[in-house]
Amino acid sequence: MVLAVCSAHCRRKFYEALPAERRKKLKLLDINSETDVKDIPLPDPEQMENMIPAEIGLVFFNKLFFIEKGLKGMGPEKRQEKRLEKEAPVWEKFWSWIEALKPLGGSKLEKAVNYSINHRETLQSYMLDGRCELSNNRAERCAKSYAIGRKNSLFHTSAAGAEASALVYSIIETAKANKLNVFQYLYVLLLYMPEHKDDPNAVKTLLPWSDFIKERCTGLIDVEAITPENKPQLPI
């Protein structure tokens, strides 16, 4: 198993080391944002003289996030190739810069620097596999729906209860990630799974990215028109 540390967490430590007034003027680039952003050039030595260290560190990470945003949609192998081409040089410059820093002991900048150095290898391990992510922000947002409602989950008094909850939330979040109508998807699963749960081909057909599911679970659909008695046969 290879640990991949989230770069968003490391970037935030540099952001928190900024004075409050400077934070208001800077944005943390989100890989999954639909907003188009311009390229983020790395500062040259002369420009660095007019920037505080925490701001420079933030620029390095925003540059990585900008590159990563441009690699969305690529296959894993191509994505890994482009990361090594475009992102590896940014990391090299970042480490050369950070190793020359001498932050004040006990400062937030020192915490950011130490966190980076202590996780040097694992911050870059995402480049070993194009399926890995630079940031786990998207995964954390998926877990947020559970975190918000967990106080209501009073049945979590056993491993079985926790497993059941994890299963339901996983289905819901995967449906959302595939832009399905979640209620409709759950309805279709309950229609077909009882009699097809032991059939691998049927289960494959009911996965959220299948054509059968996309056709029936995208947008608003009248579920009352489809009942267990008149439901169409699975194309298996």
Side-chain angles (χ1 to χ4, degrees):
M1 184 177 68
V2 177
L3 176 65
V5 169
C6 174
S7 288
H9 286 73
C10 190
R11 178 179 64 172
R12 179 160 291 280
K13 293 190 180 298
F14 284 97
Y15 181 75
E16 291 173 348
L18 288 167
E21 287 302 315
R22 293 214 182 194
R23 282 188 218 168
K24 296 177 182 178
K25 300 177 182 179
L26 296 173
K27 293 184 178 180
L28 301 180
L29 181 61
D30 184 356
I31 296 171
N32 299 299
S33 171
E34 299 298 330
T35 304
D36 290 330
V37 293
K38 296 180 180 179
D39 191 7
I40 301 171
L42 294 178
D44 57 38
E46 185 176 340
Q47 291 173 319
M48 285 185 180
E49 292 180 0
N50 298 317
M51 301 169 69
I52 61 176
E55 189 175 359
I56 297 171
L58 196 61
V59 170
F60 273 110
F61 279 102
N62 274 342
K63 177 67 172 181
L64 289 168
F65 275 65
F66 173 80
I67 297 172
E68 196 68 18
K69 184 176 171 65
L71 305 185
K72 284 180 61 179
M74 289 186 179
E77 293 183 2
K78 187 66 175 180
R79 194 180 185 194
Q80 182 186 16
E81 178 187 333
K82 288 297 182 181
R83 282 172 169 174
L84 294 173
E85 175 190 335
K86 297 183 176 184
E87 296 180 19
V90 178
W91 281 112
E92 290 177 11
K93 291 179 181 179
F94 173 74
W95 297 122
S96 296
W97 166 76
I98 208 170
E99 286 170 356
L101 288 180
K102 295 181 180 179
L104 184 66
S107 65
K108 290 184 178 180
L109 178 63
E110 184 190 46
K111 292 180 180 178
V113 170
N114 288 344
Y115 184 91
S116 302
I117 293 174
N118 291 339
H119 296 87
R120 179 169 182 162
E121 182 177 344
T122 50
L123 277 167
Q124 299 174 96
S125 60
Y126 74 96
M127 290 195 293
L128 298 173
D129 191 324
R131 294 170 298 178
C132 294
E133 299 289 344
L134 174 71
S135 160
N136 69 0
N137 277 348
R138 184 168 62 172
E140 287 190 355
R141 281 195 289 269
C142 289
K144 193 174 183 180
S145 60
Y146 170 75
I148 291 174
R150 63 188 168 190
K151 289 184 178 179
N152 296 325
S153 302
L154 300 180
F155 60 87
H156 281 187
T157 56
S158 66
E163 289 176 4
S165 177
L167 177 62
V168 171
Y169 276 106
S170 295
I171 292 173
I172 291 172
E173 291 301 329
T174 306
K176 287 164 62 177
N178 284 272
K179 297 180 171 57
L180 301 180
N181 177 319
V182 175
F183 176 80
Q184 177 69 11
Y185 182 51
L186 292 174
Y187 185 81
V188 170
L189 288 182
L190 292 173
L191 278 177
Y192 290 98
M193 283 302 291
E195 58 190 271
H196 293 289
K197 62 182 179 180
D198 297 320
D199 184 345
N201 291 326
V203 172
K204 185 177 181 180
T205 303
L206 293 171
L207 291 175
W209 45 83
S210 76
D211 292 337
F212 178 81
I213 290 298
K214 287 181 179 178
E215 180 182 342
R216 288 161 178 79
C217 302
T218 303
L220 297 175
I221 302 172
D222 182 9
V223 295
E224 294 182 0
I226 303 175
T227 66
E229 293 75 24
N230 69 1
K231 66 181 185 293
Q233 294 295 314
L234 285 178
I236 55 176

PDB file of all heavy atoms in Angstrom, residues 205-234:
ATOM      1  N   THR A 205     -25.452  -4.451 -15.237  1.00  0.00           N
ATOM      2  CA  THR A 205     -26.433  -3.612 -15.933  1.00  0.00           C
ATOM      3  C   THR A 205     -27.021  -2.548 -15.019  1.00  0.00           C
ATOM      4  O   THR A 205     -27.448  -1.485 -15.480  1.00  0.00           O
ATOM      5  CB  THR A 205     -27.576  -4.494 -16.488  1.00  0.00           C
ATOM      6  OG1 THR A 205     -27.012  -5.483 -17.343  1.00  0.00           O
ATOM      7  CG2 THR A 205     -28.590  -3.668 -17.271  1.00  0.00           C
ATOM      8  N   LEU A 206     -27.031  -2.808 -13.713  1.00  0.00           N
ATOM      9  CA  LEU A 206     -27.618  -1.870 -12.752  1.00  0.00           C
ATOM     10  C   LEU A 206     -26.599  -0.903 -12.159  1.00  0.00           C
ATOM     11  O   LEU A 206     -26.939  -0.094 -11.294  1.00  0.00           O
ATOM     12  CB  LEU A 206     -28.296  -2.656 -11.626  1.00  0.00           C
ATOM     13  CG  LEU A 206     -29.534  -3.451 -12.044  1.00  0.00           C
ATOM     14  CD1 LEU A 206     -29.993  -4.364 -10.916  1.00  0.00           C
ATOM     15  CD2 LEU A 206     -30.668  -2.518 -12.480  1.00  0.00           C
ATOM     16  N   LEU A 207     -25.360  -0.963 -12.611  1.00  0.00           N
ATOM     17  CA  LEU A 207     -24.358  -0.009 -12.137  1.00  0.00           C
ATOM     18  C   LEU A 207     -24.703   1.390 -12.641  1.00  0.00           C
ATOM     19  O   LEU A 207     -25.287   1.550 -13.724  1.00  0.00           O
ATOM     20  CB  LEU A 207     -22.966  -0.427 -12.613  1.00  0.00           C
ATOM     21  CG  LEU A 207     -22.410  -1.705 -11.973  1.00  0.00           C
ATOM     22  CD1 LEU A 207     -21.088  -2.102 -12.610  1.00  0.00           C
ATOM     23  CD2 LEU A 207     -22.256  -1.539 -10.466  1.00  0.00           C
ATOM     24  N   PRO A 208     -24.359   2.434 -11.898  1.00  0.00           N
ATOM     25  CA  PRO A 208     -24.837   3.791 -12.216  1.00  0.00           C
ATOM     26  C   PRO A 208     -24.347   4.377 -13.540  1.00  0.00           C
ATOM     27  O   PRO A 208     -24.895   5.363 -14.004  1.00  0.00           O
ATOM     28  CB  PRO A 208     -24.340   4.622 -11.020  1.00  0.00           C
ATOM     29  CG  PRO A 208     -23.247   3.825 -10.418  1.00  0.00           C
ATOM     30  CD  PRO A 208     -23.595   2.390 -10.646  1.00  0.00           C
ATOM     31  N   TRP A 209     -23.320   3.779 -14.161  1.00  0.00           N
ATOM     32  CA  TRP A 209     -22.821   4.310 -15.424  1.00  0.00           C
ATOM     33  C   TRP A 209     -23.296   3.495 -16.630  1.00  0.00           C
ATOM     34  O   TRP A 209     -22.888   3.769 -17.758  1.00  0.00           O
ATOM     35  CB  TRP A 209     -21.301   4.371 -15.407  1.00  0.00           C
ATOM     36  CG  TRP A 209     -20.666   3.119 -14.866  1.00  0.00           C
ATOM     37  CD1 TRP A 209     -20.403   1.962 -15.520  1.00  0.00           C
ATOM     38  CD2 TRP A 209     -20.234   2.923 -13.518  1.00  0.00           C
ATOM     39  NE1 TRP A 209     -19.834   1.046 -14.681  1.00  0.00           N
ATOM     40  CE2 TRP A 209     -19.708   1.604 -13.436  1.00  0.00           C
ATOM     41  CE3 TRP A 209     -20.223   3.713 -12.359  1.00  0.00           C
ATOM     42  CZ2 TRP A 209     -19.192   1.062 -12.256  1.00  0.00           C
ATOM     43  CZ3 TRP A 209     -19.721   3.183 -11.186  1.00  0.00           C
ATOM     44  CH2 TRP A 209     -19.204   1.877 -11.139  1.00  0.00           C
ATOM     45  N   SER A 210     -24.146   2.504 -16.404  1.00  0.00           N
ATOM     46  CA  SER A 210     -24.633   1.693 -17.526  1.00  0.00           C
ATOM     47  C   SER A 210     -25.655   2.483 -18.349  1.00  0.00           C
ATOM     48  O   SER A 210     -26.327   3.386 -17.848  1.00  0.00           O
ATOM     49  CB  SER A 210     -25.267   0.399 -17.014  1.00  0.00           C
ATOM     50  OG  SER A 210     -26.552   0.647 -16.475  1.00  0.00           O
ATOM     51  N   ASP A 211     -25.774   2.131 -19.630  1.00  0.00           N
ATOM     52  CA  ASP A 211     -26.738   2.811 -20.506  1.00  0.00           C
ATOM     53  C   ASP A 211     -28.171   2.596 -20.015  1.00  0.00           C
ATOM     54  O   ASP A 211     -29.011   3.492 -20.111  1.00  0.00           O
ATOM     55  CB  ASP A 211     -26.593   2.294 -21.941  1.00  0.00           C
ATOM     56  CG  ASP A 211     -25.276   2.713 -22.574  1.00  0.00           C
ATOM     57  OD1 ASP A 211     -24.703   3.720 -22.121  1.00  0.00           O
ATOM     58  OD2 ASP A 211     -24.822   2.034 -23.512  1.00  0.00           O
ATOM     59  N   PHE A 212     -28.448   1.393 -19.501  1.00  0.00           N
ATOM     60  CA  PHE A 212     -29.788   1.084 -19.005  1.00  0.00           C
ATOM     61  C   PHE A 212     -30.185   2.040 -17.872  1.00  0.00           C
ATOM     62  O   PHE A 212     -31.305   2.565 -17.845  1.00  0.00           O
ATOM     63  CB  PHE A 212     -29.820  -0.366 -18.501  1.00  0.00           C
ATOM     64  CG  PHE A 212     -31.140  -0.795 -17.913  1.00  0.00           C
ATOM     65  CD1 PHE A 212     -32.180  -1.196 -18.741  1.00  0.00           C
ATOM     66  CD2 PHE A 212     -31.344  -0.803 -16.535  1.00  0.00           C
ATOM     67  CE1 PHE A 212     -33.402  -1.599 -18.199  1.00  0.00           C
ATOM     68  CE2 PHE A 212     -32.553  -1.196 -15.997  1.00  0.00           C
ATOM     69  CZ  PHE A 212     -33.585  -1.598 -16.824  1.00  0.00           C
ATOM     70  N   ILE A 213     -29.256   2.279 -16.967  1.00  0.00           N
ATOM     71  CA  ILE A 213     -29.527   3.162 -15.825  1.00  0.00           C
ATOM     72  C   ILE A 213     -29.561   4.621 -16.255  1.00  0.00           C
ATOM     73  O   ILE A 213     -30.431   5.397 -15.826  1.00  0.00           O
ATOM     74  CB  ILE A 213     -28.476   2.934 -14.720  1.00  0.00           C
ATOM     75  CG1 ILE A 213     -28.678   1.570 -14.060  1.00  0.00           C
ATOM     76  CG2 ILE A 213     -28.541   4.052 -13.681  1.00  0.00           C
ATOM     77  CD1 ILE A 213     -30.014   1.390 -13.372  1.00  0.00           C
ATOM     78  N   LYS A 214     -28.641   5.027 -17.109  1.00  0.00           N
ATOM     79  CA  LYS A 214     -28.625   6.422 -17.561  1.00  0.00           C
ATOM     80  C   LYS A 214     -29.935   6.795 -18.247  1.00  0.00           C
ATOM     81  O   LYS A 214     -30.432   7.912 -18.095  1.00  0.00           O
ATOM     82  CB  LYS A 214     -27.449   6.643 -18.515  1.00  0.00           C
ATOM     83  CG  LYS A 214     -26.094   6.675 -17.831  1.00  0.00           C
ATOM     84  CD  LYS A 214     -24.991   6.921 -18.853  1.00  0.00           C
ATOM     85  CE  LYS A 214     -23.627   6.980 -18.178  1.00  0.00           C
ATOM     86  NZ  LYS A 214     -22.537   7.178 -19.156  1.00  0.00           N
ATOM     87  N   GLU A 215     -30.480   5.846 -19.001  1.00  0.00           N
ATOM     88  CA  GLU A 215     -31.729   6.101 -19.726  1.00  0.00           C
ATOM     89  C   GLU A 215     -32.908   6.259 -18.779  1.00  0.00           C
ATOM     90  O   GLU A 215     -33.814   7.055 -19.029  1.00  0.00           O
ATOM     91  CB  GLU A 215     -31.992   4.938 -20.687  1.00  0.00           C
ATOM     92  CG  GLU A 215     -33.265   5.093 -21.500  1.00  0.00           C
ATOM     93  CD  GLU A 215     -33.511   3.887 -22.392  1.00  0.00           C
ATOM     94  OE1 GLU A 215     -32.549   3.118 -22.626  1.00  0.00           O
ATOM     95  OE2 GLU A 215     -34.660   3.706 -22.842  1.00  0.00           O
ATOM     96  N   ARG A 216     -32.881   5.544 -17.657  1.00  0.00           N
ATOM     97  CA  ARG A 216     -34.039   5.522 -16.758  1.00  0.00           C
ATOM     98  C   ARG A 216     -33.889   6.381 -15.507  1.00  0.00           C
ATOM     99  O   ARG A 216     -34.880   6.622 -14.818  1.00  0.00           O
ATOM    100  CB  ARG A 216     -34.330   4.070 -16.343  1.00  0.00           C
ATOM    101  CG  ARG A 216     -34.922   3.252 -17.460  1.00  0.00           C
ATOM    102  CD  ARG A 216     -34.779   1.774 -17.234  1.00  0.00           C
ATOM    103  NE  ARG A 216     -35.423   1.033 -18.320  1.00  0.00           N
ATOM    104  CZ  ARG A 216     -34.858   0.864 -19.512  1.00  0.00           C
ATOM    105  NH1 ARG A 216     -33.654   1.369 -19.753  1.00  0.00           N
ATOM    106  NH2 ARG A 216     -35.490   0.204 -20.464  1.00  0.00           N
ATOM    107  N   CYS A 217     -32.690   6.818 -15.218  1.00  0.00           N
ATOM    108  CA  CYS A 217     -32.476   7.509 -13.937  1.00  0.00           C
ATOM    109  C   CYS A 217     -31.863   8.892 -14.089  1.00  0.00           C
ATOM    110  O   CYS A 217     -31.251   9.418 -13.156  1.00  0.00           O
ATOM    111  CB  CYS A 217     -31.602   6.652 -13.026  1.00  0.00           C
ATOM    112  SG  CYS A 217     -32.282   5.022 -12.700  1.00  0.00           S
ATOM    113  N   THR A 218     -32.006   9.487 -15.259  1.00  0.00           N
ATOM    114  CA  THR A 218     -31.515  10.837 -15.473  1.00  0.00           C
ATOM    115  C   THR A 218     -32.709  11.783 -15.608  1.00  0.00           C
ATOM    116  O   THR A 218     -33.597  11.541 -16.420  1.00  0.00           O
ATOM    117  CB  THR A 218     -30.645  10.916 -16.744  1.00  0.00           C
ATOM    118  OG1 THR A 218     -29.581   9.984 -16.633  1.00  0.00           O
ATOM    119  CG2 THR A 218     -30.070  12.317 -16.914  1.00  0.00           C
ATOM    120  N   GLY A 219     -32.705  12.841 -14.819  1.00  0.00           N
ATOM    121  CA  GLY A 219     -33.807  13.789 -14.882  1.00  0.00           C
ATOM    122  C   GLY A 219     -34.989  13.347 -14.040  1.00  0.00           C
ATOM    123  O   GLY A 219     -34.903  12.441 -13.222  1.00  0.00           O
ATOM    124  N   LEU A 220     -36.117  13.988 -14.258  1.00  0.00           N
ATOM    125  CA  LEU A 220     -37.325  13.704 -13.496  1.00  0.00           C
ATOM    126  C   LEU A 220     -38.173  12.666 -14.232  1.00  0.00           C
ATOM    127  O   LEU A 220     -38.494  12.828 -15.405  1.00  0.00           O
ATOM    128  CB  LEU A 220     -38.142  14.983 -13.289  1.00  0.00           C
ATOM    129  CG  LEU A 220     -37.445  16.077 -12.474  1.00  0.00           C
ATOM    130  CD1 LEU A 220     -38.309  17.338 -12.445  1.00  0.00           C
ATOM    131  CD2 LEU A 220     -37.183  15.587 -11.056  1.00  0.00           C
ATOM    132  N   ILE A 221     -38.524  11.578 -13.537  1.00  0.00           N
ATOM    133  CA  ILE A 221     -39.288  10.487 -14.143  1.00  0.00           C
ATOM    134  C   ILE A 221     -40.439  10.118 -13.220  1.00  0.00           C
ATOM    135  O   ILE A 221     -40.304  10.120 -11.998  1.00  0.00           O
ATOM    136  CB  ILE A 221     -38.380   9.263 -14.387  1.00  0.00           C
ATOM    137  CG1 ILE A 221     -37.196   9.653 -15.287  1.00  0.00           C
ATOM    138  CG2 ILE A 221     -39.152   8.115 -15.022  1.00  0.00           C
ATOM    139  CD1 ILE A 221     -36.147   8.589 -15.426  1.00  0.00           C
ATOM    140  N   ASP A 222     -41.561   9.772 -13.804  1.00  0.00           N
ATOM    141  CA  ASP A 222     -42.732   9.362 -13.030  1.00  0.00           C
ATOM    142  C   ASP A 222     -42.552   7.908 -12.593  1.00  0.00           C
ATOM    143  O   ASP A 222     -42.790   6.977 -13.363  1.00  0.00           O
ATOM    144  CB  ASP A 222     -43.995   9.505 -13.882  1.00  0.00           C
ATOM    145  CG  ASP A 222     -45.248   9.139 -13.094  1.00  0.00           C
ATOM    146  OD1 ASP A 222     -45.136   8.953 -11.861  1.00  0.00           O
ATOM    147  OD2 ASP A 222     -46.319   9.044 -13.719  1.00  0.00           O
ATOM    148  N   VAL A 223     -42.138   7.716 -11.330  1.00  0.00           N
ATOM    149  CA  VAL A 223     -41.862   6.357 -10.861  1.00  0.00           C
ATOM    150  C   VAL A 223     -43.142   5.546 -10.703  1.00  0.00           C
ATOM    151  O   VAL A 223     -43.112   4.318 -10.729  1.00  0.00           O
ATOM    152  CB  VAL A 223     -41.100   6.382  -9.513  1.00  0.00           C
ATOM    153  CG1 VAL A 223     -39.731   7.003  -9.694  1.00  0.00           C
ATOM    154  CG2 VAL A 223     -41.899   7.098  -8.443  1.00  0.00           C
ATOM    155  N   GLU A 224     -44.273   6.208 -10.552  1.00  0.00           N
ATOM    156  CA  GLU A 224     -45.518   5.475 -10.348  1.00  0.00           C
ATOM    157  C   GLU A 224     -45.939   4.710 -11.601  1.00  0.00           C
ATOM    158  O   GLU A 224     -46.749   3.788 -11.536  1.00  0.00           O
ATOM    159  CB  GLU A 224     -46.622   6.446  -9.925  1.00  0.00           C
ATOM    160  CG  GLU A 224     -46.378   7.075  -8.557  1.00  0.00           C
ATOM    161  CD  GLU A 224     -47.515   7.987  -8.136  1.00  0.00           C
ATOM    162  OE1 GLU A 224     -48.479   8.109  -8.907  1.00  0.00           O
ATOM    163  OE2 GLU A 224     -47.427   8.567  -7.042  1.00  0.00           O
ATOM    164  N   ALA A 225     -45.388   5.093 -12.755  1.00  0.00           N
ATOM    165  CA  ALA A 225     -45.752   4.425 -14.001  1.00  0.00           C
ATOM    166  C   ALA A 225     -45.045   3.083 -14.152  1.00  0.00           C
ATOM    167  O   ALA A 225     -45.420   2.270 -14.987  1.00  0.00           O
ATOM    168  CB  ALA A 225     -45.427   5.324 -15.195  1.00  0.00           C
ATOM    169  N   ILE A 226     -44.006   2.861 -13.352  1.00  0.00           N
ATOM    170  CA  ILE A 226     -43.253   1.604 -13.427  1.00  0.00           C
ATOM    171  C   ILE A 226     -43.416   0.874 -12.109  1.00  0.00           C
ATOM    172  O   ILE A 226     -43.011   1.355 -11.055  1.00  0.00           O
ATOM    173  CB  ILE A 226     -41.757   1.868 -13.690  1.00  0.00           C
ATOM    174  CG1 ILE A 226     -41.572   2.683 -14.973  1.00  0.00           C
ATOM    175  CG2 ILE A 226     -40.995   0.558 -13.803  1.00  0.00           C
ATOM    176  CD1 ILE A 226     -40.136   3.085 -15.235  1.00  0.00           C
ATOM    177  N   THR A 227     -44.015  -0.278 -12.146  1.00  0.00           N
ATOM    178  CA  THR A 227     -44.273  -1.069 -10.943  1.00  0.00           C
ATOM    179  C   THR A 227     -43.579  -2.429 -11.065  1.00  0.00           C
ATOM    180  O   THR A 227     -43.135  -2.804 -12.159  1.00  0.00           O
ATOM    181  CB  THR A 227     -45.786  -1.291 -10.758  1.00  0.00           C
ATOM    182  OG1 THR A 227     -46.264  -2.107 -11.844  1.00  0.00           O
ATOM    183  CG2 THR A 227     -46.537   0.036 -10.723  1.00  0.00           C
ATOM    184  N   PRO A 228     -43.490  -3.171  -9.980  1.00  0.00           N
ATOM    185  CA  PRO A 228     -42.864  -4.507 -10.059  1.00  0.00           C
ATOM    186  C   PRO A 228     -43.548  -5.414 -11.086  1.00  0.00           C
ATOM    187  O   PRO A 228     -42.912  -6.286 -11.666  1.00  0.00           O
ATOM    188  CB  PRO A 228     -43.047  -5.041  -8.642  1.00  0.00           C
ATOM    189  CG  PRO A 228     -43.067  -3.835  -7.765  1.00  0.00           C
ATOM    190  CD  PRO A 228     -43.797  -2.795  -8.587  1.00  0.00           C
ATOM    191  N   GLU A 229     -44.839  -5.183 -11.337  1.00  0.00           N
ATOM    192  CA  GLU A 229     -45.588  -6.037 -12.260  1.00  0.00           C
ATOM    193  C   GLU A 229     -45.322  -5.690 -13.731  1.00  0.00           C
ATOM    194  O   GLU A 229     -45.371  -6.590 -14.594  1.00  0.00           O
ATOM    195  CB  GLU A 229     -47.097  -5.934 -11.990  1.00  0.00           C
ATOM    196  CG  GLU A 229     -47.534  -6.503 -10.654  1.00  0.00           C
ATOM    197  CD  GLU A 229     -47.183  -5.596  -9.477  1.00  0.00           C
ATOM    198  OE1 GLU A 229     -47.042  -4.375  -9.712  1.00  0.00           O
ATOM    199  OE2 GLU A 229     -47.025  -6.133  -8.363  1.00  0.00           O
ATOM    200  N   ASN A 230     -45.094  -4.423 -14.032  1.00  0.00           N
ATOM    201  CA  ASN A 230     -44.937  -4.053 -15.433  1.00  0.00           C
ATOM    202  C   ASN A 230     -43.566  -3.512 -15.790  1.00  0.00           C
ATOM    203  O   ASN A 230     -43.384  -2.895 -16.830  1.00  0.00           O
ATOM    204  CB  ASN A 230     -46.015  -3.016 -15.834  1.00  0.00           C
ATOM    205  CG  ASN A 230     -45.771  -1.661 -15.150  1.00  0.00           C
ATOM    206  OD1 ASN A 230     -44.806  -1.492 -14.398  1.00  0.00           O
ATOM    207  ND2 ASN A 230     -46.650  -0.713 -15.414  1.00  0.00           N
ATOM    208  N   LYS A 231     -42.591  -3.716 -14.941  1.00  0.00           N
ATOM    209  CA  LYS A 231     -41.250  -3.186 -15.222  1.00  0.00           C
ATOM    210  C   LYS A 231     -40.637  -3.881 -16.435  1.00  0.00           C
ATOM    211  O   LYS A 231     -40.863  -5.076 -16.663  1.00  0.00           O
ATOM    212  CB  LYS A 231     -40.328  -3.369 -14.004  1.00  0.00           C
ATOM    213  CG  LYS A 231     -40.015  -4.823 -13.649  1.00  0.00           C
ATOM    214  CD  LYS A 231     -39.113  -4.870 -12.400  1.00  0.00           C
ATOM    215  CE  LYS A 231     -38.681  -6.285 -12.085  1.00  0.00           C
ATOM    216  NZ  LYS A 231     -39.805  -7.137 -11.667  1.00  0.00           N
ATOM    217  N   PRO A 232     -39.877  -3.161 -17.243  1.00  0.00           N
ATOM    218  CA  PRO A 232     -39.235  -3.792 -18.425  1.00  0.00           C
ATOM    219  C   PRO A 232     -38.158  -4.776 -17.997  1.00  0.00           C
ATOM    220  O   PRO A 232     -37.590  -4.667 -16.917  1.00  0.00           O
ATOM    221  CB  PRO A 232     -38.640  -2.597 -19.175  1.00  0.00           C
ATOM    222  CG  PRO A 232     -38.474  -1.539 -18.139  1.00  0.00           C
ATOM    223  CD  PRO A 232     -39.605  -1.722 -17.175  1.00  0.00           C
ATOM    224  N   GLN A 233     -37.886  -5.753 -18.847  1.00  0.00           N
ATOM    225  CA  GLN A 233     -36.872  -6.749 -18.560  1.00  0.00           C
ATOM    226  C   GLN A 233     -35.471  -6.146 -18.668  1.00  0.00           C
ATOM    227  O   GLN A 233     -35.228  -5.257 -19.497  1.00  0.00           O
ATOM    228  CB  GLN A 233     -36.996  -7.936 -19.524  1.00  0.00           C
ATOM    229  CG  GLN A 233     -38.267  -8.733 -19.370  1.00  0.00           C
ATOM    230  CD  GLN A 233     -38.346  -9.419 -18.007  1.00  0.00           C
ATOM    231  OE1 GLN A 233     -37.383 -10.021 -17.547  1.00  0.00           O
ATOM    232  NE2 GLN A 233     -39.503  -9.312 -17.365  1.00  0.00           N
ATOM    233  N   LEU A 234     -34.594  -6.631 -17.846  1.00  0.00           N
ATOM    234  CA  LEU A 234     -33.204  -6.181 -17.933  1.00  0.00           C
ATOM    235  C   LEU A 234     -32.580  -6.710 -19.218  1.00  0.00           C
ATOM    236  O   LEU A 234     -32.768  -7.884 -19.576  1.00  0.00           O
ATOM    237  CB  LEU A 234     -32.389  -6.680 -16.738  1.00  0.00           C
ATOM    238  CG  LEU A 234     -32.593  -5.989 -15.391  1.00  0.00           C
ATOM    239  CD1 LEU A 234     -31.731  -6.670 -14.335  1.00  0.00           C
ATOM    240  CD2 LEU A 234     -32.262  -4.521 -15.474  1.00  0.00           C
TER     241      LEU A 234
END
